[in-house]
């Protein structure tokens, strides 16, 4: 067996989702708040565009980097919305944003190189770094999700890459210009690259994220996709914009692995990015309503929680092992993800996705209250409403 996978664990979020689904198949009444997948249907105009593409013969191989129309549309979006001066020639369309993350680490890291990942951070960053021969250096974020002033001390001669994710999965934090300038200055001073994962950029509340690529374009790989904003998780379609040399290496990896993204799916993505955006706005409004209920409910039952400014996750604090808490909640019929999955400093949190119906959210909070002992406070709050 290949030794390069010895230090890579399976995805905790997918593993727990599988466990939850297995319990459901066994007849258990489980409410799942594990996966980061919008519970909305893909907008009809996107489905119709993909259907039309299939019916008109768009079922053959596509260009390895993606169809030109989509690459150009993505470049136009990045220019108008993110202030990134890129052309379609430097946009790589990928089978999901996760694939773009791996292409980046695989293209940049030599054996033993280090990549800085902020804790809490998405579970697959560490795995992608390790599978690329690198080593993850975890840096604990501040409690509000901002970056620590002591970040420069983690940079050394082996540091090659800094990975940022704003809005953040799992905390929902959004980095401000001060944080981004700190990272940009480090990259410039030490010749580092930045992977900016912006997959949740359109799911925000009273804040507009800034793309760090607008500050330091020659050192930034900007990654995004369609799964979250357009409820297209199962379509597996994402993209990356990168400096020319890095783009060429990422393209090589795609050519020799996935070949290209699914052809007709790209026409659906084209309709998403160029068509009406009202479905995105409607989804965000509902996520905001759910967020407010979830955060209040968690605090009411004794689980302190910062207010997320983006994405669709709550990140409440717990005392003791997050895995043991997750097990207790699962016994009560609620599937959650332990904070330990998101970094070595996050075992005192759990992640709750509120990409679920409001009725399920309220039922889930009631069940969680039986575990925390906060049922009395929760019931009182509900009666007052």
């Amino acid at each position: 067996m290949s030794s390069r996978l010895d230090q890579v664990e399976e995805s905790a979020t997918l593993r727990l989702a599988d466990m939850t689904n297995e319990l459901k198949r066994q007849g258990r009444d489980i409410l799942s708040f594990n996966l980061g997948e919008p519970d909305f249907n893909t907008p009809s105009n996107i489905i119709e565009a993909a259907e039309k593409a299939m019916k008109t013969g768009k079922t053959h191989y596509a260009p390895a980097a993606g169809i030109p129309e989509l690459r150009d549309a993505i470049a136009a979006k990045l220019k108008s919305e993110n202030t990134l001066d890129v052309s379609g020639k430097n946009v790589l369309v990928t089978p999901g944003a996760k694939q773009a993350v791996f292409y980046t680490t695989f293209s940049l890291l030599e054996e033993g190189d280090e990549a800085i990942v902020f804790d809490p951070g998405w579970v697959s960053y560490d795995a992608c770094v390790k599978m690329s021969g690198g080593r993850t250096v975890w840096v604990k974020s501040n409690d509000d999700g901002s970056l620590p002033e002591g970040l420069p001390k983690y940079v050394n001669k082996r540091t090659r890459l800094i990975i940022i994710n704003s809005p953040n999965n799992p905390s929902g934090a959004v980095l401000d210009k001060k944080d981004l300038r700190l990272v940009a200055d480090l990259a410039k001073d030490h010749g580092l690259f930045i992977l900016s994962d912006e997959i949740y950029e359109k799911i925000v509340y009273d804040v507009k994220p800034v793309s760090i690529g607008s500050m330091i374009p020659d050192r930034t790989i900007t990654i995004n996709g369609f799964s979250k904003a357009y409820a297209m998780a199962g379509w597996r379609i994402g993209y990356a914009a990168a400096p020319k040399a890095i783009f060429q290496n990422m393209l090589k990896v795609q050519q020799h692995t996935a070949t290209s993204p699914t052809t007709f799916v790209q026409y659906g993505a084209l309709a998403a990015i160029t068509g009406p955006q009202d479905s995105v706005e409607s989804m965000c409004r509902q996520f905001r309503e759910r967020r407010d209920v979830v955060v209040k409910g968690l605090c009411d039952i004794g689980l302190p929680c910062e207010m997320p400014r983006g994405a669709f996750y709550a990140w409440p604090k717990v005392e003791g092992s997050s895995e043991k808490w997750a097990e207790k909640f699962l016994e009560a019929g609620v599937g959650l993800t332990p904070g330990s999955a998101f970094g070595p400093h996050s075992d005192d949190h759990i992640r709750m996705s509120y990409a679920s119906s409001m009725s399920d959210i309220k039922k889930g909070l009631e069940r969680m209250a039986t575990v925390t002992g906060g049922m009395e406070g929760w019931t009182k709050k509900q009666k007052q409403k």
Side-chain angles (χ1 to χ4, degrees), residues 141-318:
S141 299
N142 297 324
D143 289 342
D144 63 358
S146 62
L147 304 186
E149 292 183 0
L151 175 60
K153 71 181 182 182
Y154 293 93
V155 176
N156 58 54
K157 64 181 181 179
R158 300 297 302 179
T159 309
R160 178 74 167 163
L161 178 67
I162 299 177
I163 299 177
I164 61 174
N165 175 214
S166 177
N168 177 269
N169 172 13
S171 72
V174 177
L175 298 179
D176 61 20
K177 288 185 178 180
K178 179 182 177 183
D179 286 325
L180 296 177
R181 176 52 60 192
L182 173 61
V183 174
D185 287 345
L186 277 176
K188 182 179 180 180
D189 293 343
H190 297 274
L192 311 178
F193 287 97
I194 303 165
L195 187 164
S196 180
D197 182 352
E198 302 178 8
I199 190 70
Y200 295 98
E201 68 159 347
K202 289 186 178 293
I203 305 174
V204 289
Y205 318 104
D206 303 318
V207 64
K208 180 174 174 55
V210 176
S211 291
I212 196 170
S214 63
M215 297 180 176
I216 184 167
D218 59 330
R219 288 275 158 187
T220 303
I221 300 90
T222 301
I223 293 175
N224 208 324
F226 298 83
S227 296
K228 315 302 181 182
Y230 300 100
M232 294 174 66
W235 294 62
R236 308 314 304 137
I237 188 79
Y239 60 87
K244 185 176 180 180
I246 300 171
F247 168 86
Q248 290 296 335
N249 278 340
M250 295 173 69
L251 176 58
K252 286 181 189 177
V253 181
Q254 176 144 299
Q255 287 173 334
H256 292 292
T257 53
T259 302
S260 65
T262 302
T263 305
F264 56 84
V265 165
Q266 295 185 65
Y267 287 92
L270 180 61
I273 203 171
T274 60
Q277 302 297 302
D278 54 320
S279 62
V280 180
E281 296 166 4
S282 173
M283 186 168 62
C284 282
R285 284 194 298 270
Q286 294 183 63
F287 277 141
R288 179 195 289 271
E289 293 172 2
R290 297 173 186 181
R291 177 200 66 167
D292 293 345
V293 170
V294 166
V295 172
K296 262 186 112 289
L298 289 170
C299 291
D300 287 346
I301 64 175
L303 298 177
C305 185
E306 293 276 344
M307 183 66 75
R309 296 200 296 164
F312 40 73
Y313 309 106
W315 185 238
K317 192 174 180 62
V318 295

Side-chain angles (χ1 to χ4, degrees), residues 42-67:
T42 304
S44 59
N45 67 304
I46 299 172
I47 295 172
E48 290 165 5
E51 182 181 25
K52 180 181 178 182
M54 283 189 282
K55 289 183 176 179
T56 55
K58 303 296 193 301
T59 56
H60 302 279
Y61 286 130
I67 60 173

Side-chain angles (χ1 to χ4, degrees), residues 51-117:
E51 182 181 25
K52 180 181 178 182
M54 283 189 282
K55 289 183 176 179
T56 55
K58 303 296 193 301
T59 56
H60 302 279
Y61 286 130
I67 60 173
E69 306 96 307
L70 179 56
R71 296 172 71 194
D72 288 342
I74 291 169
K77 179 267 179 200
L78 291 172
K79 185 173 184 178
S80 63
E81 297 183 9
N82 306 92
T83 324
L84 301 183
D85 187 15
V86 299
S87 70
K89 293 180 180 180
N90 288 105
V91 171
L92 178 66
V93 184
T94 60
K98 182 183 288 188
Q99 203 79 356
V101 171
F102 177 72
Y103 292 168
T104 301
T105 59
F106 196 76
S107 297
L108 284 175
L109 299 178
E110 298 280 6
E111 195 74 28
D113 282 348
E114 294 182 354
I116 290 175
V117 178

